[in-house]
Amino acid sequence: MTEPGGGGDVAGSIGRRRFLGYVLAAPTLVTAAELGVASAAGAQPAAAPRVADLLDLTDLMTVATLPTAGLIAVEVHADGTASFALPRAEVGQGITTSTAMLIAEELSLPLDRIRVTLADARPELVFNQLTGGSNTTHATYRPIRVAAAIARQRLLAAASAELGSPAGELTLSAGVVTDRAGRGVELGVLAVRAASDRSEPVTVELAARESFTVIGRPHNRVDALDAVTGRKKFAMDLAVPNALPTMVCRPPTINGTVNSVANLAEVAAMPGVTDVVVIGTGVAVRARTFGQCVDGVRALRVSWKAGTAAGKSDETVLRELAAAELPLGLLPPLTPTVEGRFTFHFRGNSALEPNCAIADVRADRAEIWSALKSPIVARQSIAARIGLPLNRVTVHVTEGGGSFGRKLFFDAALEAAEVSKKIGKPVKLMWHRADDTRQGRTHPMATSRVRMSYLGDAVLGYQQRHTSVSTDLGHGLGEIITAFAAQLPVGDIGFAETFFLLSQEQSYRFGVSSQLLSETDKGFNTGSTRNVYSPDVTTARELIVDQLAARMGSDPHDFRRRFLRADRAKAVLAKVAEVGQWGRAMPAGTAQGIAFHAEYKSVSAALVEIDCRPETVNRPIRDGVGGPRVTKVVFAVDVGLAVNPRGLEAQMMGGVMDGIALALTSSLHLRDGYFLEASWDNYFYTRQWNTPLDLRIIIMPDTSEDPGGAGELSVAASMAAVACAYGRATGTMPTTFPINHGTLSFEPKPTVPPVPASPTDGRDHAS
Amino acid sequence: MPEHTFRVNGEQVTVTVEDDVRLLWVLRDILGITGPKYGCGINVCRACTSHLNGRAVSPCSIPVGDLEPTDEVTTIEGLAATVDEDLHPMQRAWLDHDVAQCGYCQPGQIMAAVALVRRVTEEGRSITDADLDGLRNICRCGTYPRIRDAIRDGAARM
Ligand code: FES
Ligand code: FES
């Protein structure tokens, strides 16, 4: 995904390094800047007040106490700490850490004196409170620094008055301002003195890159201690009074609905159960413990209506896709070509924390707690669902246990609100893992066809037609893209197609190039899974690139190097080739693969070594899949400017694990309208026994003044490199992903009851 | 309703609940001990990993009725106290290697790691790649390489 309109010129930029921000009326120092994406993209709707309008308001008290429209604010407190409410969801990407680092840089304050919290839904931010498309760091990099730099400027001015020394002779370090005579004032004292009684615009110069002492240095996560001590609170860990565990008995096929329940009263009388109620998606059971919810769900006897994928199986959907494929070209090419057709099966996008939310819906108000990446749209949808005015609904964004696309949606929050309203009690609603896997969002099944034409050693053309089960982008991202699309010369096409065009760049000099998307079948619950199209599109392209290189008698690395346009693209490729010793002699059945991918203003390359020898592929794994082992990955990335290299490295590592899973082991099998997979012993995400023993991530030197995106970046090149390595090790180009999809490696669990009973032999497995 | 008495993190507790309710829900929903996470409920993801008398177990698969008054349950919240420190050496290794991403799997990962190192130490040997390959805890954020590094480091400090 490409961030919407996040071009270099951020709103508020005046001249090269001078930026416009604000000081707000408040009891201690509060400074602010405009979150620039929407205005840069021209996507801010007329209804949202612009800052200029706002600052004309005479009611300064209102400005001082209400969240200010379109602004994000840094607050300096009387205790010498600073705080910032980030209008984004932290789901593991480390953005609270990188945000604290930006503030630390401009304020010269140690990180432990900066608190970054997650903002509740703030409708006035419109599109800007959406965590998607790996754009957080890119979109917030300048505004946060501007706000913090203004705070610094005000603090120094206040210190200057206090100490009687010119501001230029003062130093701000570790939360104390000192003058040349060695006299100092604490930040906390200055926070009060520097406070403003009116809100006004201020301009400020940002610290020059050469002077950075925090940005660009590796930093551990600010929430690491909470994570390793179990103190980090996820939605289901919150103690909301009387919000009792709730689970939903779900249909045996995708999106089925309740016909009738034979034994509702009987289940309502089971131990611990307080309520049983029919809702739009099934039958909800509220109980003292989740264990008793599971028992209640298993005991329910429900007759169901067919769902939206009734009777469909993998083969049915493959036929639908074939029928929806666009031609690769109008005329048969006159020159030689290489081409291929690749199939990518459904994949689950479950995070480890299942869909969950707490809801307390009363007659006149509602409160929701959930890890939401699009809280504004969630709040609107919830208000509509429960029939309350928007201003009676409060949505709290909690820390999330992973997202990968899932938390752009708010399926559990909607359900929790519906149940709470129906029974008139607060609920702590969680999906069972089986629900999350079978009824949760999936990455859409797709085919990708690629044709490259060439003559001699020149590439004349590149055509790619990607055909996919429809991806649901209806969580707010769609609105942004639609708005942005109005400015693009793409004509009147839907936003999925626009989104596809925006996210796929042609990094190679491949002559006449075209890439098109067509979609079919809206019957599935889809979403992105650490990216929507790029991993599949890139894998198809890189495999055909390998084929063409072979046809031309060229080495895969040399060929890519020759055709890549940008120097920074060539540099990442050269880096992995050098560090990974591209071309080294390897035993039969093992091989290297190399691939390239650019997105989010970032470039990346992966070199992979894989072992496909039978003794490795068939190594015994209990309740899991071994298969080919990726033994080594070298990954190089250039994100323009790396704010926190250690966090960036972690993001790359996670994406590599996803790439391995997508190429080799992870998929859902659709049969008769439902997915066979029901838990982690069926759905084979990368496990320790699939993890490369040798992983090297190389962060390239900065090449830009601005950070590019990284959250999803590394999946595509990793998946493609694994596929290319597999092809070279086995001598056969893989065309179906994951490569083991044809073998069902587990016994499917029943669909009625919809969730498995918990085992009782846990003590016997103590280890 | 039956009463169950056992020890959790160094303290004796008594809960009144049906025998077959699994320990995970007794910890989380009744005692409010939320470090052990739910990820599957069927002993496959290991997000709930805790210690029972020093060994790694999945509380989602142990009926509370199976516990005796002398049984000692240790969750991530009580791990540091087992070595009389603010943090267990494995937790320190985790911090040094900046392992956690979303953090949801990490209490279980750490508890599994400590039990693995104890077992390997009792066997008089050191951690191998095969031992690490044998860890079944899922991390959907893909922190596996850092987990491996942290366990080796933590083992050296234990
Ligand atoms: S929740 Fe206990 S093993 Fe998954
Ligand atoms: S850190 Fe997110 S699941 Fe492991």
Side-chain angles (χ1 to χ4, degrees):
Chain A
M1 298 190 219
T2 296
E3 64 288 332
D9 57 324
V10 171
S13 162
I14 302 166
R16 230 178 92 59
R17 266 213 304 273
R18 270 204 101 68
F19 291 88
L20 177 68
Y22 306 89
V23 55
L24 301 183
T28 65
L29 179 60
V30 180
T31 58
E34 194 173 0
L35 204 47
V37 175
S39 46
Q44 187 134 357
R50 300 300 314 267
V51 173
D53 307 335
L54 190 95
L55 290 171
D56 281 340
L57 294 176
T58 47
D59 190 356
L60 290 177
M61 287 306 293
T62 313
V63 177
T65 52
L66 290 177
T68 307
L71 294 181
I72 47 103
V74 171
E75 242 179 293
V76 186
H77 303 274
D79 63 356
T81 62
S83 67
F84 179 81
L86 185 68
R88 288 290 190 281
E90 169 73 64
V91 288
Q93 335 82 311
I95 55 177
T96 48
T97 306
S98 57
T99 299
M101 289 175 69
L102 300 181
I103 297 169
E105 181 71 65
E106 299 292 340
L107 267 187
S108 311
L109 199 61
L111 257 81
D112 60 8
R113 286 169 66 176
I114 299 168
R115 289 191 309 281
V116 176
T117 57
L118 304 176
D120 288 351
R122 289 178 53 190
E124 76 284 2
L125 288 180
V126 200
F127 302 141
N128 260 324
Q129 196 174 8
L130 187 128
T131 312
S134 299
N135 88 326
T136 298
T137 306
H138 185 81
T140 57
Y141 178 66
R142 283 273 164 77
I144 293 171
R145 288 178 61 210
V146 167
I150 291 172
R152 178 195 188 91
Q153 185 170 290
R154 298 275 305 190
L155 291 165
L156 287 175
S160 167
E162 184 79 18
L163 296 168
S165 307
E169 294 182 4
L170 299 175
T171 46
L172 169 52
S173 167
V176 182
V177 179
T178 32
D179 68 5
R180 289 192 179 157
R183 292 174 305 161
V185 205
E186 294 274 337
L187 216 63
V189 175
L190 294 172
V192 179
R193 309 243 158 102
S196 178
D197 55 7
R198 44 196 211 103
S199 297
E200 59 186 3
V202 181
T203 67
V204 74
E205 190 154 319
L206 291 180
R209 209 163 112 206
E210 308 75 65
S211 71
F212 285 175
T213 58
V214 183
I215 297 174
R217 308 263 169 106
H219 205 287
N220 287 1
R221 292 178 62 108
V222 292
D223 55 357
L225 183 62
D226 284 352
V228 305
T229 52
R231 293 200 284 263
K232 184 165 178 177
K233 293 274 181 263
F234 300 90
M236 294 294 95
D237 302 336
L238 300 177
V240 173
N242 204 26
L244 290 190
T246 303
M247 267 189 185
V248 176
C249 176
R250 294 178 198 278
T253 59
I254 295 169
N255 298 333
T257 50
V258 177
N259 222 344
S260 63
V261 185
N263 61 343
L264 204 139
E266 190 186 304
V267 173
M270 285 175 67
V273 174
T274 64
D275 300 85
V276 182
V277 64
V278 175
I279 58 168
T281 45
V283 186
V285 178
R286 180 175 177 270
R288 184 181 177 210
T289 66
F290 275 111
Q292 290 156 325
C293 294
V294 170
D295 295 343
V297 166
R298 287 177 55 80
L300 278 165
R301 291 204 312 278
V302 184
S303 88
W304 300 95
K305 290 184 222 156
T308 54
K312 288 187 182 172
S313 296
D314 279 349
E315 302 71 40
T316 333
V317 181
L318 280 172
R319 279 198 299 276
E320 286 179 66
L321 288 173
E325 285 176 349
L326 299 172
L328 264 169
L330 292 178
L331 299 171
L334 302 170
T335 55
T337 59
V338 280
E339 52 181 272
R341 181 177 189 281
F342 304 91
T343 301
F344 301 90
H345 284 278
F346 282 109
R347 288 143 279 183
N349 73 356
S350 288
L352 191 53
E353 174 194 38
N355 288 348
C356 59
I358 296 175
D360 184 357
V361 178
R362 309 288 173 92
D364 60 340
R365 66 190 163 84
E367 215 168 340
I368 311 288
W369 292 258
S370 191
L372 299 167
K373 284 179 136 198
S374 50
I376 295 167
V377 184
R379 181 166 171 250
Q380 290 164 346
S381 311
I382 291 165
R385 171 79 59 101
I386 58 181
L388 280 179
L390 198 55
N391 63 7
R392 305 306 299 163
V393 178
T394 308
V395 167
H396 304 284
V397 180
T398 61
E399 305 267 3
S403 168
F404 321 112
R406 178 63 71 89
K407 289 182 168 74
L408 280 165
F409 297 91
F410 36 88
D411 302 313
L414 269 178
E415 261 182 353
E418 184 185 346
V419 178
S420 178
K421 181 185 159 90
K422 282 212 166 118
I423 65 176
K425 296 173 193 168
V427 296
K428 181 181 269 192
L429 182 141
M430 183 171 78
W431 289 34
H432 193 282
R433 175 61 52 196
D435 303 333
D436 212 75
T437 312
R438 283 185 161 157
Q439 301 281 351
R441 301 269 162 184
T442 69
H443 190 276
M445 193 196 281
T447 64
S448 216
R449 287 136 63 236
V450 177
R451 174 189 287 162
M452 292 182 73
S453 52
Y454 65 100
L455 197 59
D457 60 2
V459 177
L460 303 179
Y462 179 92
Q463 259 107 42
Q464 185 158 18
R465 301 292 176 264
H466 197 73
T467 311
S468 177
V469 164
S470 289
T471 303
D472 184 351
L473 298 173
H475 42 56
L477 188 58
E479 284 94 321
I480 296 179
I481 292 165
T482 310
F484 184 46
Q487 299 193 335
L488 294 175
V490 290
D492 184 21
I493 58 175
F495 64 63
E497 288 81 359
T498 310
F499 179 47
F500 180 77
L501 284 178
L502 287 173
S503 61
Q504 306 307 321
E505 53 181 274
Q506 182 52 276
S507 306
Y508 294 102
R509 259 186 272 269
F510 280 165
V512 181
S513 167
S514 77
Q515 289 172 289
L516 296 175
L517 169 74
S518 52
E519 291 195 325
T520 180
D521 199 334
K522 293 193 188 317
F524 295 93
N525 305 320
T526 53
S528 79
T529 305
R530 239 178 171 165
N531 207 306
V532 184
Y533 308 110
S534 297
D536 298 350
V537 167
T538 302
T539 297
R541 181 193 69 216
E542 295 292 302
L543 283 165
I544 292 298
V545 164
D546 267 9
Q547 296 288 305
L548 182 56
R551 194 76 74 84
M552 289 184 176
S554 178
D555 168 83
H557 163 260
D558 296 346
F559 180 91
R560 287 177 173 80
R561 188 92 188 266
R562 179 149 70 92
F563 285 98
L564 278 173
R565 288 175 210 273
D567 287 343
R568 60 198 284 253
K570 292 178 192 173
V572 285
L573 192 76
K575 193 65 180 180
V576 296
E578 173 210 323
V579 175
Q581 296 174 281
W582 172 255
R584 78 185 184 91
M586 291 184 64
T590 70
Q592 293 179 315
I594 194 165
F596 171 85
H597 174 64
E599 198 170 0
Y600 320 116
K601 303 181 193 304
S602 303
V603 290
S604 65
L607 181 149
V608 158
E609 291 185 0
I610 201 169
D611 183 348
C612 299
R613 293 175 293 192
E615 61 270 30
T616 299
V617 172
N618 302 320
R619 67 194 183 283
I621 307 280
R622 178 169 57 86
D623 295 334
V625 163
R629 178 114 190 216
V630 173
T631 50
K632 177 175 184 168
V633 177
V634 179
F635 196 94
V637 61
D638 173 352
V639 292
L641 183 152
V643 172
N644 181 8
R646 185 163 299 148
L648 178 60
E649 190 186 292
Q651 289 286 288
M652 295 303 108
M653 178 173 68
V656 168
M657 299 304 137
D658 275 29
I660 292 171
L662 295 180
L664 301 178
T665 57
S666 276
S667 61
L668 295 168
H669 294 77
L670 181 70
R671 189 176 298 165
D672 299 332
Y674 72 99
F675 290 116
L676 299 185
E677 282 75 5
S679 198
W680 297 111
D681 54 343
N682 306 163
Y683 187 75
F684 304 112
Y685 181 66
T686 302
R687 302 285 281 268
Q688 283 290 6
W689 54 84
N690 309 112
T691 300
L693 299 177
D694 187 357
L695 170 68
R696 274 178 250 179
I697 289 160
I698 301 148
I699 313 282
M700 301 293 279
D702 290 347
T703 53
S704 161
E705 289 283 325
D706 289 296
E712 308 169 332
L713 178 71
S714 61
V715 182
S718 309
M719 179 185 182
V722 173
C724 290
Y726 179 83
R728 298 179 81 228
T730 59
T732 310
M733 178 176 73
T735 55
T736 299
F737 294 95
I739 54 135
N740 78 339
H741 185 80
T743 315
L744 199 63
S745 312
F746 61 94
E747 182 70 40
K749 297 187 201 332
T751 53
V752 180
V755 303
S758 291
T760 53
D761 61 350
R763 284 198 83 130
D764 304 343
H765 298 292
S767 61
Chain B
M1 233 184 292
E3 278 197 350
H4 309 275
T5 299
F6 52 99
R7 299 179 63 77
V8 182
N9 297 332
E11 282 178 33
Q12 183 170 307
V13 296
T14 299
V15 292
T16 308
V17 68
E18 287 72 14
D19 287 342
D20 63 346
V21 173
R22 308 302 191 268
L23 175 59
L24 177 62
W25 308 119
V26 172
L27 293 170
R28 290 185 54 90
D29 299 340
I30 297 177
L31 297 171
I33 299 171
T34 55
K37 302 298 181 218
Y38 166 85
C40 70
I42 55 169
N43 197 12
V44 300
C45 77
R46 307 295 170 98
C48 64
T49 305
S50 301
H51 294 169
L52 180 57
N53 305 323
R55 298 282 174 189
V57 292
S58 299
C60 67
S61 303
I62 299 177
V64 65
D66 283 8
L67 294 181
E68 306 286 337
T70 52
D71 278 328
E72 174 76 49
V73 176
T74 309
T75 68
I76 188 72
E77 287 94 337
L79 179 64
T82 63
V83 292
D84 275 329
E85 300 266 354
D86 293 345
L87 287 174
H88 188 276
M90 195 61 81
Q91 290 170 310
R92 289 189 201 283
W94 237 253
L95 291 177
D96 291 347
H97 291 266
D98 203 27
V99 176
Q101 289 193 25
C102 80
Y104 195 83
C105 73
Q106 301 296 345
Q109 300 279 5
I110 293 169
M111 297 307 278
V114 170
L116 171 66
V117 173
R118 279 187 196 145
R119 180 156 43 85
V120 165
T121 308
E122 278 167 23
E123 290 168 14
R125 56 188 190 85
S126 50
I127 299 266
T128 62
D129 275 327
D131 291 324
L132 296 171
D133 275 6
L135 281 172
R136 302 188 66 88
N137 298 59
I138 288 176
C139 176
R140 185 60 188 78
C141 295
T143 66
Y144 300 113
R146 285 189 182 176
I147 288 173
R148 297 174 90 99
D149 292 346
I151 293 178
R152 288 204 152 96
D153 194 3
R157 305 186 202 182
M158 269 170 71

